[in-house]
Amino acid sequence: MKNNFCVIMGGGIGSRFWPFSRESYPKQFLDFFGKGRSLLQMTVDRFAKIIQMENIYIVTNDKYADLVRDQLPSLKDGQILLEPTRRNTAPCIAYAAYHIKARNPDANIVVAPSDHLIMKENEFLTSINKGFEFIKGNDALLTLGIKPSRPETGYGYIQCSEKMIDEFTKVKTFTEKPNTDLAKIFMESGEFFWNSGIFLWNVDTILNAFSKFLPEISARFDLGLNRFNTPDEKEFINIHYPYCPNISVDYGIMEKADNVYMQCVDFGWADLGTWGSLFEIAPKDEANNAVLKTKAMLYESEGNVIELGDNTRLAVIQGLKDYIVAENGNVLLICKKDDEQRIKQFMADAQLKYNSEYT
């Protein structure tokens, strides 16, 4: 167990959850379900049941350092790895891997986003432990795949092959966010699974992959090999991290490597990346409306998700079907659920027109 580590990625803005997720207070720090715990806190709570707390790391943007410390006071400063600028998941994962390698050269690592909801926690923890056993004995990059329940266009997809090691299937292809028609074909084929964005690997396996497929990142970090897990690490990262390419680990490594395997899992997974994903798992009324922590009266309305962020106000809604109605602070959003992928652009447009007043 001492060789098992967890890296939680928590530096994103969550712009598709605007106006609740803001630049200054993104969704991973929010309590969407009134449980008294944010998505980030729930993620740490989950992994702490099978991984020693001192082996759990958060990688986040340096502007969120105080938020992480406030929400996770049990973490030491050395467990909060701060990015001076956003550079997507590949540099984030490389940073954590180099840091952990300096501390424990035999480390096995699970990497997970901070904004996932897991409904079946025991099954989840069993799957993670099985994954750790697999990567300890195999030179493999492991991803967890979810059997699709709908033709979702907001997720990436993994195509499995017929080659297997025990219950782990070698991956044939990755596809990022297909259109609706292609997503339907994927779902009907039975060969495609949602890419959960949860990965497991031995630290040497992932660092070798960086060296092979993203040498522009590994060469940069190699300059500071003797500075990781030392007081000089932060200075080195602040100087060199901004020069890393802005690229995801999926595109930079997973789509290119020939030792990628998938574990098919079923633990009630939801990527809370969009209002639609929240709608899928939220309780509904008799007209299939999801009313979240909000007082609302709905007439001739169905299939909507309503969240005002203030349960002292009353929403009275008539004649809406399949809409998102979300109000937080100084922004009210009314948007068709089918068009939710445009919310990121709405936020960008608001920033362009009004600077940061509404973002």
Side-chain angles (χ1 to χ4, degrees):
M1 187 172 178
K2 68 177 182 179
N3 292 338
N4 291 349
F5 286 75
C6 174
V7 174
I8 299 171
M9 299 179 290
I13 301 173
S15 55
R16 289 180 297 170
F17 251 125
W18 185 70
F20 273 78
S21 189
R22 303 288 187 105
E23 174 85 28
S24 61
Y25 209 94
K27 64 177 178 179
Q28 59 267 32
F29 301 106
L30 299 175
D31 174 13
F32 275 99
F33 303 100
K35 295 180 179 288
R37 301 292 279 173
S38 70
L39 295 176
L40 174 63
Q41 289 170 317
M42 290 169 66
T43 303
V44 171
D45 293 344
R46 192 178 304 130
F47 280 109
K49 293 181 178 178
I50 58 169
I51 296 173
Q52 297 172 357
M53 183 61 80
E54 60 266 30
N55 287 1
I56 295 177
Y57 287 86
I58 312 297
V59 187
T60 190
N61 189 271
D62 58 8
K63 67 165 52 177
Y64 304 136
D66 288 341
L67 282 173
V68 174
R69 293 187 187 107
D70 288 345
Q71 293 202 354
L72 300 169
S74 62
L75 294 187
K76 298 177 182 177
D77 281 349
Q79 292 172 261
I80 305 171
L81 306 182
L82 300 176
E83 306 166 286
T85 187
R86 292 187 178 90
R87 283 294 179 267
N88 216 315
T89 57
C92 160
I93 288 169
Y95 178 13
Y98 272 85
H99 178 95
I100 291 171
K101 170 78 172 179
R103 179 182 160 192
N104 185 333
D106 299 318
N108 302 299
I109 304 170
V110 57
V111 178
S114 57
D115 57 355
H116 287 180
L117 183 69
I118 305 297
M119 307 296 288
K120 305 173 187 176
E121 190 170 272
N122 289 337
E123 287 88 338
F124 172 81
L125 298 177
T126 297
S127 296
I128 297 299
N129 280 328
K130 285 182 179 180
F132 273 131
E133 288 301 314
F134 176 72
I135 61 166
K136 281 197 295 186
N138 295 277
D139 180 28
L141 304 170
L142 179 64
T143 183
L144 304 189
I146 314 291
K147 186 175 181 179
S149 59
R150 62 185 185 276
E152 174 64 52
T153 60
Y155 298 162
Y157 284 73
I158 308 164
Q159 184 183 19
C160 61
S161 70
E162 296 180 356
K163 183 176 180 180
M164 298 186 70
I165 299 177
D166 298 324
E167 63 185 83
F168 301 88
T169 307
K170 191 165 187 181
V171 171
K172 186 183 293 185
T173 62
F174 285 85
T175 302
E176 276 300 310
K177 297 179 182 177
N179 60 34
T180 302
D181 291 339
L182 192 55
K184 288 179 180 177
I185 293 171
F186 284 175
M187 184 173 173
E188 292 166 1
S189 75
E191 295 181 7
F192 288 82
F193 297 79
W194 287 337
N195 183 359
S196 69
I198 302 173
F199 308 107
L200 294 97
W201 39 56
N202 178 268
V203 68
D204 284 337
T205 304
I206 189 60
L207 290 181
N208 288 339
F210 270 102
S211 180
K212 182 175 181 179
F213 299 109
L214 290 172
E216 60 271 44
I217 292 178
S218 60
R220 179 69 61 175
F221 284 129
D222 283 345
L223 296 172
L225 280 179
N226 297 325
R227 303 176 74 176
F228 285 99
N229 205 29
T230 76
D232 295 332
E233 178 178 301
K234 182 174 176 58
E235 179 187 8
F236 173 81
I237 288 297
N238 286 342
I239 293 171
H240 291 274
Y241 199 89
Y243 292 98
C244 290
N246 187 351
I247 189 170
S248 71
V249 73
D250 301 79
Y251 182 75
I253 291 179
M254 303 300 280
E255 293 183 12
K256 299 172 182 176
D258 62 1
N259 61 337
V260 179
Y261 283 78
M262 184 196 77
Q263 180 185 7
C264 181
V265 294
D266 178 16
F267 40 64
W269 172 88
D271 173 11
L272 293 183
T274 65
W275 286 104
S277 62
L278 185 59
F279 173 82
E280 286 288 327
I281 61 172
K284 317 287 196 308
D285 65 15
E286 62 278 3
N288 201 36
N289 296 296
V291 181
L292 307 168
K293 295 190 298 180
T294 296
K295 294 177 181 176
M297 297 168 57
L298 284 80
Y299 302 87
E300 298 92 49
S301 298
E302 60 182 280
N304 303 293
V305 54
I306 315 293
E307 170 64 286
L308 299 187
D310 180 357
N311 62 12
T312 65
R313 303 181 65 187
L314 172 67
V316 182
I317 295 172
Q318 186 270 333
L320 281 189
K321 181 179 180 180
D322 297 329
Y323 268 78
I324 299 162
V325 180
E327 182 180 31
N328 186 37
N330 55 3
V331 176
L332 168 65
L333 170 74
I334 303 173
C335 168
K336 293 180 180 178
K337 283 215 313 271
D338 286 347
D339 290 337
E340 70 172 352
Q341 298 299 331
R342 297 178 62 187
I343 292 177
K344 190 173 184 177
Q345 185 60 51
F346 297 159
M347 179 179 174
D349 291 345
Q351 186 168 27
L352 187 65
K353 188 170 184 178
Y354 300 106
N355 296 318
S356 60
E357 183 179 356
Y358 299 105
T359 57

